Amino acid sequence: LAKTTQPISMDSYEGQEVNITCSHNNIATNDYITWYQQFPSQGPRFIIQGYKTKVTNEVASLFIPADRKSSTLSLPRVSLSDTAVYYCLVGDIGYKLIFGSGTRLLVRP
Amino acid sequence: DTEVTQTPKHLVMGMTNKKSLKCEQHMGHRAMYWYKQKAKKPPELMFVYSYEKLSINESVPSRFSPECPNSSLLNLHLHALQPEDSALYLCASSQAGEGDEQYFGPGTRLTVT
């Protein structure tokens, strides 16, 4: 499973767009990129998953360049309730989720 | 119903006790998972059940014993735990497992004294 590298923490302000980048230089051909969000004392929650180019859903966008060695989770117009840990996971389609260390996002008023 | 429930929410047990954690889902999912999460660390996979059969055991010590009585229920039996086993234990489920989104429960906060 490919190792991922994310910033340990990020700060933002309400209403701003936040972009969290994840590096995965050893991504394999079959690997997908998935992001989860976790609030304190809660289980992680699926945000978005993609293989290449751009994926968008109602809460986020995921940008994946052609070489797939990195990906960027984009959260539009964050609010205080988006303060959480965001995990980038890379792996082939299968049962195992291997979580990296995650990015702690703090949204300030 | 898109909820995974876990009981109890909190559990304090001694090193000689036997206890069980329970997880339930009614989404018709056929894969269920146990994770362990220490404070300020990412979740670590422990076990995966697929169609009620144990398919992955991540070299977890035998003092943790999983059980899947039916497709909706997942138990984790605990015996002779150590203080370092204190953690948040998370249960998750997914449709059929293969790359599907995993739905997590709120976890059981376990303290071993």
Side-chain angles (χ1 to χ4, degrees), chain A residues 19 28 31 36 44 56 66 72 75:
Chain A
N19 296 310
D31 286 347
Y36 278 77
T56 297
T72 300
L75 305 171

Side-chain angles (χ1 to χ4, degrees), chain A residues 38 44 87 97-100, chain B residues 35-38 41-45 90 104:
Chain A
Q38 187 176 24
Y87 293 102
L97 287 186
I98 307 297
F99 287 81
Chain B
Y35 290 82
K36 172 182 176 180
Q37 186 174 27
K38 303 280 275 185
K41 296 290 186 184
E44 296 175 11
L45 182 65
L90 294 161
F104 284 80

Side-chain angles (χ1 to χ4, degrees), chain A residues 42 49 53 71 84 101:
Chain A
Q42 291 188 27
Q49 183 182 74
T53 62
S71 58
S101 19

Side-chain angles (χ1 to χ4, degrees), chain B residues 80-98:
Chain B
L81 294 192
Q82 304 296 310
E84 59 264 29
D85 296 321
S86 298
L88 181 68
Y89 287 85
L90 294 161
C91 172
S93 70
S94 64
Q95 284 278 358
E98 294 290 335

Side-chain angles (χ1 to χ4, degrees), chain A residues 36 38 44 46 93-96 100, chain B residues 37 42 50 58 97-98 102 104:
Chain A
Y36 278 77
Q38 187 176 24
F46 174 91
I93 296 297
Y95 296 109
K96 294 179 69 163
Chain B
Q37 186 174 27
S50 175
E58 291 288 282
E98 294 290 335
Q102 292 190 18
F104 284 80

Side-chain angles (χ1 to χ4, degrees), chain B residues 11-31:
Chain B
L11 178 63
V12 179
M13 61 185 288
M15 289 189 284
T16 58
N17 291 159
K18 282 186 183 180
K19 297 285 185 185
S20 296
L21 309 184
K22 181 178 170 182
C23 173
E24 196 164 359
Q25 57 87 15
H26 295 287
M27 295 177 277
H29 290 172
R30 302 311 301 267

